[in-house]
Structure formats: C-alpha cells, structure tokens
Amino acid sequence: MFDFDATLPLMAVQFILLMVVLNAILFKPLTKVIEDRSTLISNSQTGAKEGLEQVNAITQQYEKALIDSRRQYQSIIAKAQAEAQKTASEQIAAAQAEAVAARETATRELAAQKVSAMAELEKQVDSLSQEIVNKLLVGV
Amino acid sequence: MPLDIEMLNFLDSPNFVSLAALEVGQHFYWHIGSLKVHGQVFLATWFVMSVLIIASLLATRNIQQIPKGMQNLMEYAMDFIRELTRNQIGEKEYRPWVPFIGTLFLFIFVCNWSGALIPWKLIHLPEGELAAPTNDINTTVALSLLVSIAYFYAGFKKKGLSYFAKYVQPTPILLPIAVLEDFTKPLSLSFRLFGNILADELVVGVLVLLVPLFVPLPVMLLGLFTSAIQALVFATLAGAYIHEALEGHGDEHEEEHA
C-alpha cells in the first residue's frame, strides 16, 4: 500500500504540466473574460449613473427655466395690467377734465347769452315803452 | 446455516482482499528503464487530465461575453476557485496562485469523482485495478510535496532569506515545532486525501460485496460528498499554507485590524 516508486515524481511532473496547460486554456481566458465583463458592467453602470445625473441636471435646468418664465410672464402681465390701469385712469381723468371744461364753457356761454339777452331785452324795454307811450299819447 | 458458513469461510480465507475484489497493494507495474511505475494510476490520471482538458477546450473554444453551456459551467467553477483562493490568500496576492490552487482542486475533484462514478471494474488489467488516482499514496504525496514547494517558493519570493525569521518569530522556543510543521503539513495533506479516498472505495467495495444493490447506495452518496469535500479541503489548506508563508507573524494582526 505504501510503496513509493517513480510514480511519485512522474505524477508531480504530470501535475505541473496539467497546471501549465489548464492555465493556458482555462484560467487565463476565463479570468480575462470574467474581468472584462466586470469592467464592462462597472463601466456601463458608471455611464448610466452619469446619464442619470445629466438627466437630473437637465430636468432641474428645465424646471428653473419654467419657473423663470412663469415669473417673467407674471411680471409682464402685471406690468401690462398696471399700464392699462394707468392708461385707463389717465383717459378717464382726461375725459372728466374735458367734460368739466365743456360744462364750464357751456355755463359761461349761457351766462354771456343771458347777459346779452337781458341787455337786448332792456334795450327793447326802452323802445317798447317808447312805443307804448307813443301809442297811448296818440290816442290822447 | 450455509450462508453463515460461507461468510465465515470468506472471512477466514487468506486472500480476503482479492476475494473482496479490493486488490489493495497490487499494482499494474510498468517498467521504464530501471524504474517501476504504477500503470493503473497513470491510465486513470491520463483519463482525468483529458477530461479536464476537453472540458476546458469546450468552455473556452468559443468564448463569449454572455456565457452559455460549458463556458457557464466552467465559469462557475472558476468563480468558485477564485473565491476560494481570494479567501485564503487575500485580495492583494491571490491572483498568481489561482492556477495552482485551481488545478489542485479540479484535478483532485475529478480524480475522486472518477473513482466513485466510473465503473473502472469493467476494464480489466492484467494486475491491480483502475481506480481514482488519488487512492494511490504516490499521487497524494506528489501533490502535497508540490504544495510544500509552492509555499516555500511563495515565502522566499516575497521575503528572501528573512522568510526563515518566522521560525523563531514569536519565540525561539517554538523552533522545533515550527520545523516539525513543515513535515507534518505535507504528511497530513497526503494522508488525509489518500486515506479518505481509499477508505471510501474500500467501504463501498466491501458493502457491495456483502449486500449488493441498494444498501451501498447511501454510502456511495456519502462517498461522493466526502470526495468533493476532500478536494475542497486540500485546495483550501494549500491556499492557507501559502497565505501563512506570505504573511508571517508580524503582519497578521495588522491585517485583522485593517
């Protein structure tokens, strides 16, 4: 059972040969493919992460732009409203002023016409009274 | 009781071993010059080696990013081996040792299982019988001596002559034990493997002889289990010895804390 002979060194040599052969045809190519694969996986993971970050950045940018433009249009609306308000009140004021002015002119004209009418009437009172007197005196 | 008598006769018979069809210690000798070698071991070894080489060629013939079939199987084995080696030797230095540990594991594993699974009996040799190559003490001693050489090589390559410092490192009192260890390591490695495989084959053989058919089946399954475990143990211990030679006493604690 325990007989040692040339089998021992020959087995050792065979084992070393087997190791060299397996290293060439099994361990090296498989290690290479396994490591290549894990590199590929980690690379694409990094790539995906970067893409995700990019997407997030773009989304943020877009949201910021959205908020900005919302603010901008609100301010534009407010400005326009204010302007419109201003225009409206200016026009109202102008119209009121015009109306007041027109009324004043009308009042003044009316007064002037009254005065002239009164003057004329007074003039006519004189002539009329003269005529009345003449007529009466003719009868007498 | 004819049966009893028969059994007694059988037990008393002087050539019990050959009757039991377990021809322990009989070899199919080849003579190479003045040297004698065990032919049956070489035949079985060549079979095992060709199995491994054919499997490897099938696996890496058309290597692909997404593994399929044989490549998948061998990549599973490869992952297992790499994990085993990394666990034993450590992340930093395990890479160059993967082929050695891996070949040890695959070779012993296929040897053991070939002994358990392949009906070698059907092939008749003039003398001796075909069996797992690992049930010959020459094979296991050769492998364990290679492990010894490997860990000495690892130690010397890393530390040069200061490798010897580890013999007196904690205290010189332990020098004899440290020296003894270098002898017990290959001894225990080789005898563990040899004993387990031979004992397994003997037990199965005896049981088959005594109660044929179904009774030996659980023992055969146990044998498959033991065979796999022995391959794992051998490879793991080889890795542990190499790690020990690489690390020495000083660094171990640093690594534990790291």
Side-chain angles (χ1 to χ4, degrees):
Chain A
M1 204 186 284
F2 297 110
D3 45 351
F4 294 100
D5 50 27
T7 315
L8 196 157
L10 285 177
M11 283 303 296
V13 171
Q14 276 190 342
F15 180 81
I16 289 170
L17 285 180
L18 179 71
M19 185 172 82
V20 170
V21 171
L22 283 191
N23 188 31
I25 63 170
L26 181 72
F27 295 117
K28 265 192 193 154
L30 278 193
T31 309
K32 191 173 170 294
V33 79
I34 289 173
E35 283 179 356
D36 280 357
R37 187 182 303 135
S38 57
T39 326
L40 183 82
I41 288 173
S42 68
N43 275 354
S44 44
Q45 236 170 5
T46 326
K49 215 176 272 177
E50 270 169 19
L52 200 69
E53 268 167 26
Q54 241 168 1
V55 166
N56 278 342
I58 289 173
T59 313
Q60 266 178 354
Q61 207 179 332
Y62 165 77
E63 273 172 8
K64 217 181 125 200
L66 202 69
I67 290 170
D68 276 357
S69 64
R70 193 171 290 157
R71 203 173 291 145
Q72 215 170 345
Y73 87 64
Q74 275 171 347
S75 78
I76 287 173
I77 287 175
K79 219 164 95 184
Q81 273 178 340
E83 230 161 82
Q85 196 74 42
K86 211 174 119 195
T87 317
S89 56
E90 265 173 20
Q91 279 176 357
I92 288 170
Q96 275 177 344
E98 214 169 292
V100 168
R103 205 174 59 190
E104 264 172 31
T105 328
T107 318
R108 226 177 293 134
E109 260 173 38
L110 206 67
Q113 278 178 6
K114 209 164 88 181
V115 168
S116 69
M118 286 297 272
E120 201 146 316
L121 277 180
E122 247 165 70
K123 234 189 273 170
Q124 282 179 1
V125 166
D126 280 348
S127 67
L128 276 177
S129 55
Q130 193 63 47
E131 260 179 54
I132 291 167
V133 166
N134 288 344
K135 274 188 186 172
L136 286 176
L137 287 180
V138 169
V140 173
Chain B
M1 292 284 186
L3 186 71
D4 280 355
I5 291 160
E6 231 171 63
M7 272 186 78
L8 280 176
N9 279 345
F10 152 77
L11 287 174
D12 288 342
S13 121
N15 47 355
F16 160 63
V17 169
S18 72
L19 252 186
L22 298 162
E23 298 164 20
V24 176
Q26 293 200 347
H27 297 290
F28 175 43
Y29 285 107
W30 287 348
H31 297 270
I32 303 172
S34 60
L35 301 169
K36 284 197 296 181
V37 298
H38 299 165
Q40 89 278 10
V41 177
F42 280 92
L43 290 174
T45 307
W46 292 337
F47 170 79
V48 168
M49 285 167 76
S50 50
V51 165
L52 281 174
I53 288 170
I54 289 168
S56 308
L57 286 178
L58 282 179
T60 55
R61 184 191 43 181
N62 178 23
I63 206 154
Q64 277 167 352
Q65 196 62 258
I66 297 166
K68 260 197 308 201
M70 203 60 193
Q71 193 193 340
N72 220 342
L73 176 71
M74 291 314 265
E75 273 195 28
Y76 176 72
M78 187 73 202
D79 271 343
F80 178 76
I81 289 162
R82 272 160 61 96
E83 202 61 31
L84 189 153
T85 317
R86 182 164 51 214
N87 284 343
Q88 290 307 320
I89 302 184
E91 180 64 43
K92 248 191 306 179
E93 316 193 57
Y94 80 97
R95 272 160 221 279
W97 294 103
V98 168
F100 181 64
I101 308 278
T103 313
L104 270 180
F105 176 76
L106 289 178
F107 180 70
I108 296 172
F109 182 73
V110 178
C111 277
N112 294 351
W113 273 33
S114 79
L117 290 178
I118 296 171
W120 292 116
K121 272 255 155 252
L122 300 181
I123 303 165
H124 285 285
L125 293 180
E127 210 185 351
E129 58 171 354
L130 285 170
T134 37
N135 86 354
D136 191 285
I137 188 82
N138 287 287
T139 314
T140 61
V141 170
L143 294 179
S144 52
L145 285 181
L146 283 177
V147 170
S148 293
I149 293 168
Y151 78 74
F152 271 108
Y153 167 77
F156 281 126
K157 198 182 172 210
K158 176 112 184 271
K159 302 180 195 158
L161 281 179
S162 60
Y163 172 67
F164 284 121
K166 81 158 194 175
Y167 287 94
V168 290
Q169 195 91 92
T171 156
I173 299 167
L174 291 177
L175 175 68
I177 293 177
V179 173
L180 201 61
E181 254 189 359
D182 281 331
F183 292 96
T184 55
K185 276 174 183 172
L187 198 71
S188 65
L189 268 185
S190 56
F191 273 70
R192 181 184 306 114
L193 183 58
F194 166 69
N196 270 289
I197 302 309
L198 185 69
D200 172 45
E201 293 192 354
L202 284 178
V203 166
V204 170
V206 169
L207 270 180
V208 167
L209 184 83
L210 292 178
V211 253
L213 286 178
F214 298 109
V215 178
L217 272 180
V219 182
M220 285 171 150
L221 282 177
L222 184 71
L224 281 182
F225 180 67
T226 335
S227 301
I229 291 291
Q230 285 311 314
L232 178 66
V233 163
F234 200 100
T236 309
L237 282 178
Y241 294 159
I242 290 167
H243 175 248
E244 208 174 302
L246 284 172
E247 286 300 323
H249 282 289
D251 311 337
E252 271 171 28
H253 300 290
E254 282 174 33
E255 211 193 30
E256 273 170 25
H257 292 298

